[in-house]
Amino acid sequence: MFHVVRYQHLKLTQNIGFSVHLKLIFPRTLAFVQLWKSWLSTLSLVGDQNIVLMGPPGAGKTTVGRIVGHKLGCRVIDVDDDVLETTWNMSVSEKLQDVGSRQFIEEEGKALLKFSASGSVISLSGSNPMHAASMQHVKKNGIVVYLDVPTRDIIDRLELMKVDRIVGQDSGISMRDILQFRKQFYKKWYDIRVLCAGGLTAEVVADKVLDAVKRYQDSESETFISTRHTRSEMCEQKGSVKYFTEAVVEGLASDGGLFVPEKGLPTFTAGEWQRLVEATYIERAQVILERFIHPADIPAFKLGEIVEIAYGENFTCSKIAPLRYLTGNQFLLELFHGPTASFKDLALQLMPHLFAYCVPKRCNYLVLVATSGDTGSAVLDGFSRLSDTDKQRIAVVTFFPEDGVSQIQKSQMIGCQRENGWSVGVKSDFDFCQTAIKKIFTNSDYSGFLTVEYGTALSAANSINWARLLPQVIYHASAYLDLVHQDIITFGSPIDVCIPTGNFGNILAALYAKRMGIPIRKCICASNGNNVLTDFIRTGLYDLRGRRLMQTSSPAIDILKSSNLERHLHLIAGGDGQLVTQLFSELEKQCHFQLQKDLLEKLQQDLVAGWCSEEDCLAAIHSVYSTTGYILDTHTAIAKVVADRLQDRTCPVIISSTAHYSKFAPAILRALRIAEIKQNPLSQLHLLSSYSPLPPVHRGLLKTLKENEKQKHQICAADVNVMMAHIETVIQNKFMKVF
């Protein structure tokens, strides 16, 4: 695997120019990083750079700027007072009245273009960001900090200041509307955001600015380690320490572990979460992702572009992941409004764009995916939406159990094949597919051969990849905020979540949301007959001895080896990579491991678990439809049954609805006792569509099956060597580039 070089920000202080030249020559080795950090720590926070405060009028830029300048002992410049009025010899309000809004922005921009400073705190005017050339000038030697202040606070302040008109506000346009309009300009320019809760003092905001600038400049500290990273490796400063870009590109750590943030998860205060109650899903996504991804890895403006592409037009519901009331204290988090009708779209419309941004341009990449059903079509669709340039160098192969997914899921995967994506059926189960891919990744001879011979590296898009898991945190947090927004609860009130789980990724994302400050009381793990997780959470014994994978009507959770469980055990074990290595070595060699009592108690503080039989699953689908007219898919029905059994009804419970019911038509037809089940997947959907009392089938799913009914796919034996040969053939046919 190629070593990915992430260089430090280009916007460095002039008095550390020597380090810029060094960094353009040498990769980011840990020894160099430590040397550079030691030297940098002797410099002031600002150096010759400016801290540039940006935000709407009334955001408090001037007052906060003075406090920050005082704390740093550096010059403070207010653009309105010290630049514009000095240049014009008149007040800003007089100038605006004299020339009008449009000409004012041009005149303001010209004045700012002639201005230069270093080592200062600069408070921009609210309209500066509307002039592109002047903002580019300011950014050359400044860290732009966006004061993201609640609109209500801004309007209150402007009223106290007796400001009734700002630049760009014409007759008939409200102050709220013009402030909303301005946001599109602010998001183009900031380097880092300071999310301000309502009612914060200027002193508190100033401290948040200083913390944000420190984080921005200290990008070296935001690293990732393997869940199997040992303390001896840490002492020797070697092993699987990576940066975000490297973790995304490599997918799986070289020691077989999974990447996690070395310093833990970011957190939000209650006030910061409350700021997001009124936000859209896209706005929530960007704020949350900014806390996880350092601007040195993906700049804020680029991250915003990626989020808008991912969630802009590809979902059939504008709310992306809407919350629907079901019955009693139960709510459904509908995660099936994406193009392939499952919760995997919430991650896989975003992850391919993160991946494409992170990978080096000099290499081709083949992304390998093991799927129990839904991931396959979602990853193929997601990577097919990359730019033409990216599709030339990034391709995907999905391996799925040939006889272990629903007929509709298989037809959908085959139908989603494109010029950079293929589906391969394996004559085995999902656990074999997942284990085989892990073995391929950790086979350094094979991956090295592909790199040398074909200029192609391997990566992953399963939830073993951090960039695949990360977007799932967003919708769990968003669901809680929606409950608050709908006045069902007040912020701080507890909820439970119930999630159908096989590979532990979806429920792990909910556990992460809890760690970040979302008031989730219990995460309820819902299994089908393959209930190894239920037994483990209840007893601490993970036992595969004598277990055989059952094929059920909920194939996405027909899994016995739960990959993401490793991340959670690493978390509750305090980052003890040696223990995690021992546990999963025992699982690999002896097919079982037992948690110590103290770890089991920690596990059970957050988790409870139950399972559901096939009969009870189908009965739940029938019962819910009979009483509410709503159709649950088979996985959601399992979660509903388990929630009914385990949740105490003292608080709301959000049930993750992970797929559209029409993906599992035979089971739905059987549960509703409608008609004879047809073998042809398209016929099954037509039968569902023809039954008028039912809600409509997912139109994206129907379209895919109609357009690609005759497409073929490859089938291979359950043999790692055969899969490796197939991968090599794909690389030869796709990239045609032999070195």
Side-chain angles (χ1 to χ4, degrees):
M1 184 67 66
F2 285 167
H3 174 70
V4 180
V5 180
R6 183 180 73 145
Y7 296 113
Q8 177 63 303
H9 309 301
L10 295 178
K11 302 192 291 83
L12 291 169
T13 60
Q14 294 173 0
N15 61 355
I16 53 173
F18 176 65
S19 73
V20 177
H21 296 296
L22 284 176
K23 281 193 163 293
L24 293 175
I25 298 170
F26 299 109
R28 282 165 43 108
T29 63
L30 279 172
F32 178 82
V33 166
Q34 293 302 319
L35 175 65
W36 192 71
K37 280 184 70 176
S38 175
W39 184 41
L40 182 60
S41 66
T42 66
L43 302 173
S44 70
L45 185 63
V46 181
D48 282 350
Q49 273 189 295
N50 299 310
I51 295 177
V52 182
L53 302 183
M54 179 186 72
K61 301 181 294 296
T62 300
T63 305
V64 171
R66 288 172 183 154
I67 297 171
V68 171
H70 176 73
K71 287 175 179 282
L72 295 176
C74 62
R75 183 184 177 197
V76 178
I77 300 169
D78 181 80
V79 168
D80 275 346
D81 295 343
D82 302 325
V83 179
L84 300 182
E85 295 191 356
T86 301
T87 301
W88 295 332
N89 291 317
M90 65 171 67
S91 70
V92 169
S93 60
E94 288 172 337
K95 185 71 171 181
L96 176 58
Q97 189 174 4
D98 185 38
V99 300
S101 289
R102 184 171 298 181
Q103 186 60 32
F104 178 90
I105 292 171
E106 286 301 315
E107 295 288 335
E108 183 183 51
K110 289 177 184 177
L112 200 57
L113 282 167
K114 295 176 182 178
F115 163 77
S116 64
S118 63
S120 303
V121 177
I122 301 173
S123 300
L124 297 178
S125 76
S127 53
N128 282 152
M130 301 172 74
H131 192 271
S134 63
M135 284 303 297
Q136 289 168 350
H137 171 69
V138 168
K139 276 179 69 75
K140 286 179 183 178
N141 191 39
I143 301 169
V144 180
V145 181
Y146 174 33
L147 300 188
D148 188 354
V149 177
T151 300
R152 183 68 261 166
D153 282 14
I154 290 171
I155 292 174
D156 289 346
R157 290 173 190 171
L158 292 176
E159 288 176 354
L160 284 173
M161 296 160 61
K162 301 189 184 308
V163 175
D164 57 3
R165 181 168 177 259
I166 61 177
V167 177
Q169 185 179 10
D170 297 324
S171 176
I173 300 177
S174 70
M175 186 69 74
R176 183 175 293 275
D177 287 342
I178 194 66
L179 292 172
Q180 183 65 33
F181 172 76
R182 288 274 188 92
K183 287 182 179 180
Q184 65 181 301
F185 299 100
Y186 301 140
K187 70 182 181 182
K188 289 180 181 179
W189 303 113
Y190 70 90
D191 294 305
I192 197 156
R193 178 200 308 257
V194 171
L195 185 67
C196 301
L200 292 184
T201 65
E203 189 79 32
V204 171
V205 175
D207 287 338
K208 289 171 73 71
V209 168
L210 292 171
D211 289 341
V213 172
K214 288 175 185 175
R215 182 200 172 206
Y216 181 82
Q217 293 185 331
D218 191 21
S219 63
E220 317 295 349
S221 67
E222 296 195 15
T223 52
F224 287 74
I225 57 171
S226 167
T227 48
R228 303 182 188 186
H229 192 85
T230 64
R231 286 186 171 86
S232 61
E233 287 176 325
M234 287 180 178
C235 293
E236 296 169 13
Q237 293 188 342
K238 64 181 183 179
S240 52
V241 177
K242 303 288 181 181
Y243 298 96
F244 176 84
T245 48
E246 296 172 302
V248 170
V249 172
E250 294 180 23
L252 186 71
S254 58
D255 58 12
L258 308 183
F259 288 118
V260 291
E262 184 175 9
K263 293 188 176 179
L265 301 167
T267 59
F268 287 71
T269 66
E272 288 173 335
W273 281 123
Q274 287 173 280
R275 273 295 318 280
L276 299 179
V277 168
E278 301 290 334
T280 66
Y281 190 89
I282 289 176
E283 290 168 341
R284 292 169 180 170
Q286 177 152 6
V287 171
I288 293 170
L289 290 172
E290 284 174 6
R291 291 290 179 93
F292 277 101
I293 303 172
H294 195 280
D297 289 297
I298 305 179
F301 78 90
K302 184 62 184 179
L303 185 60
E305 288 179 359
I306 289 173
V307 169
E308 289 189 2
I309 290 170
Y311 301 128
E313 298 179 356
N314 302 336
F315 287 75
T316 57
C317 177
S318 61
K319 292 183 178 179
I320 312 299
L323 198 66
R324 176 191 288 264
Y325 174 71
L326 182 62
T327 185
N329 67 326
Q330 296 179 345
F331 297 81
L332 292 176
L333 175 57
E334 292 187 338
L335 300 172
F336 52 71
H337 292 285
T340 68
S342 88
F343 77 103
K344 305 298 175 71
D345 288 324
L346 275 296
L348 285 165
Q349 288 298 302
L350 179 70
M351 182 265 184
H353 297 284
L354 297 176
F355 182 85
Y357 185 85
C358 291
V359 295
K361 309 305 180 189
R362 64 184 180 272
C363 185
N364 298 320
Y365 276 83
L366 183 65
V367 178
L368 304 182
V369 179
T371 176
S372 56
D374 292 328
T375 297
S377 55
V379 76
L380 290 167
D381 182 273
F383 277 90
S384 75
R385 295 176 188 269
L386 293 176
S387 69
D388 290 340
T389 301
D390 286 333
K391 283 190 286 189
Q392 289 175 8
R393 63 191 182 93
I394 301 172
V396 187
V397 178
T398 64
F399 293 96
F400 67 92
E402 175 67 18
D403 300 315
V405 298
S406 77
Q407 285 296 315
I408 289 178
Q409 284 178 311
K410 181 189 291 188
S411 296
Q412 186 183 26
M413 271 189 282
I414 296 168
C416 284
Q417 295 179 117
R418 298 291 186 269
E419 71 271 21
N420 69 327
W422 301 272
S423 292
V424 180
V426 180
K427 287 292 188 178
S428 188
D429 56 31
F430 170 77
D431 285 334
F432 171 83
C433 295
Q434 181 165 252
T435 301
I437 283 183
K438 285 186 175 182
K439 287 180 178 178
I440 291 169
F441 273 123
T442 53
N443 186 333
S444 57
D445 290 339
Y446 178 68
S447 59
F449 163 74
L450 295 179
T451 301
V452 173
E453 194 72 14
Y454 301 109
T456 299
L458 299 178
S459 190
N462 285 89
S463 55
I464 59 174
N465 191 310
W466 180 253
R468 165 62 199 288
L469 177 66
L470 181 54
Q472 294 180 256
V473 177
I474 299 165
Y475 58 70
H476 288 300
S478 184
Y480 182 88
L481 297 175
D482 281 345
L483 279 180
V484 177
H485 188 249
Q486 295 170 21
D487 293 325
I488 294 162
I489 59 173
T490 57
F491 190 91
S493 301
I495 64 162
D496 292 333
V497 295
C498 186
I499 302 169
T501 304
N503 214 23
F504 207 78
N506 199 358
I507 200 165
L508 177 62
L511 289 163
Y512 280 177
K514 177 177 181 176
R515 290 271 177 152
M516 293 169 64
I518 292 295
I520 296 172
R521 184 180 64 167
K522 289 287 186 181
C523 292
I524 304 170
C525 175
S527 304
N528 59 20
N530 296 296
N531 55 358
V532 64
L533 279 173
T534 298
D535 291 345
F536 172 67
I537 291 167
R538 289 176 175 176
T539 67
L541 176 63
Y542 202 102
D543 195 353
L544 299 179
R545 292 171 296 184
R547 282 189 183 267
R548 297 191 63 180
L549 193 73
M550 298 169 48
Q551 289 190 11
T552 73
S553 61
S554 48
I557 56 175
D558 285 347
I559 298 169
L560 294 178
K561 293 182 180 179
S562 301
S563 285
N564 274 292
L565 179 63
E566 182 168 337
R567 280 189 169 113
H568 190 55
L569 294 182
H570 182 269
L571 181 66
I572 64 174
D576 189 344
Q578 189 169 347
L579 174 62
V580 172
T581 301
Q582 175 190 327
L583 292 176
F584 284 89
S585 176
E586 290 176 8
L587 184 65
E588 186 67 27
K589 295 175 182 177
Q590 303 170 24
C591 295
H592 73 283
F593 67 76
Q594 174 70 54
L595 280 190
Q596 301 166 355
K597 183 180 178 182
D598 60 331
L599 276 185
L600 177 58
E601 289 173 352
K602 287 183 179 179
L603 185 79
Q604 292 174 340
Q605 285 174 7
D606 295 325
L607 287 163
V608 294
W611 70 281
C612 170
S613 68
E614 284 287 278
E615 295 76 15
D616 288 344
C617 170
L618 298 182
I621 294 170
H622 184 272
S623 173
V624 170
Y625 177 67
S626 299
T627 56
T628 70
Y630 191 91
I631 302 182
L632 306 174
D633 89 289
T634 48
H635 305 79
T636 310
I638 283 169
K640 161 73 172 159
V641 170
V642 173
D644 286 343
R645 292 173 181 169
L646 298 183
Q647 212 266 341
D648 62 11
R649 295 171 178 77
T650 60
C651 68
V653 58
I654 297 177
I655 297 170
S656 288
S657 183
T658 55
H660 196 277
Y661 78 88
S662 52
K663 295 191 81 165
F664 308 96
I668 301 302
L669 291 167
R670 191 161 62 249
L672 301 183
R673 306 157 197 168
I674 291 177
E676 181 182 351
I677 300 169
K678 308 290 184 182
Q679 289 301 310
N680 181 280
L682 197 55
S683 299
Q684 294 168 3
L685 287 187
H686 282 310
L687 183 56
L688 282 176
S689 298
S690 67
Y691 193 71
S692 58
L694 296 184
V697 301
H698 191 281
R699 63 173 181 263
L701 178 61
L702 191 58
K703 181 181 178 183
T704 299
L705 266 58
K706 279 182 178 178
E707 292 179 351
N708 304 283
E709 195 174 4
K710 296 182 180 179
Q711 250 188 293
K712 305 297 182 183
H713 74 293
Q714 297 290 317
I715 302 173
C716 75
D719 186 304
V720 174
N721 291 322
V722 172
M723 293 170 68
M724 288 163 63
H726 189 90
I727 289 166
E728 187 178 352
T729 301
V730 168
I731 291 172
Q732 290 172 340
N733 293 337
K734 168 61 181 174
F735 298 118
M736 300 293 288
K737 194 172 185 179
V738 181
F739 290 86

